[in-house]
Amino acid sequence: MKNLFTIGLLAAACLAGAASAQTAPAAPAAQPGSDCIALSSDQQVVRKDADRSILLRNGSDHYIVRFANSCGSASTSKKLKFVTPGREDQLCGARASKLRTDTQFCDVTALEPITADAFASRARR
């Protein structure tokens, strides 16, 4: 009888642990740069030395937009547009968004928030 009681307690503990694991799964770790921002109609893009990144002022927020690979055409393209499939007017990191230039698509890997002063300083360089 004592063994049956012990087995019953163990079974109850196992079931409680399994139920708890099912209702509260561990959240996946967020990848750097995977956040998205809503794009404002009030934007400024600084593309000086834009091979690996560009500067973006989006409303009152400032970012360094980093690319996965070289995006040399960002410096010379007449038009630049951020494209995020399924998320119009959004810009996301972790390669969810691309910068479309006249001649290429450049994967966005990260959106790094910076201060207005840092933006102005980098834009002058």
Side-chain angles (χ1 to χ4, degrees), residues 17-82:
S20 148
Q22 288 177 355
T23 57
Q31 295 179 352
S34 64
D35 293 337
C36 296
I37 60 170
L39 290 171
S40 166
S41 59
D42 178 22
Q43 292 179 12
Q44 176 187 3
V45 174
V46 177
R47 28 179 166 176
K48 186 166 125 186
D49 302 324
D51 183 45
R52 290 287 184 172
S53 64
I54 59 173
L55 297 174
L56 171 66
R57 182 186 54 77
N58 186 53
S60 61
D61 299 322
H62 301 81
Y63 301 91
I64 299 173
V65 179
R66 300 203 184 274
F67 305 123
N69 298 306
S70 175
C71 189
S73 65
S75 294
T76 58
S77 182
K78 291 180 183 175
K79 285 186 97 176
L80 299 177
K81 180 171 175 70
F82 293 111

Side-chain angles (χ1 to χ4, degrees), residues 105-122:
F105 284 86
C106 306
D107 288 335
V108 175
T109 57
L111 306 174
E112 182 182 324
I114 58 173
T115 66
D117 290 339
F119 179 91
S121 174
R122 287 175 180 259

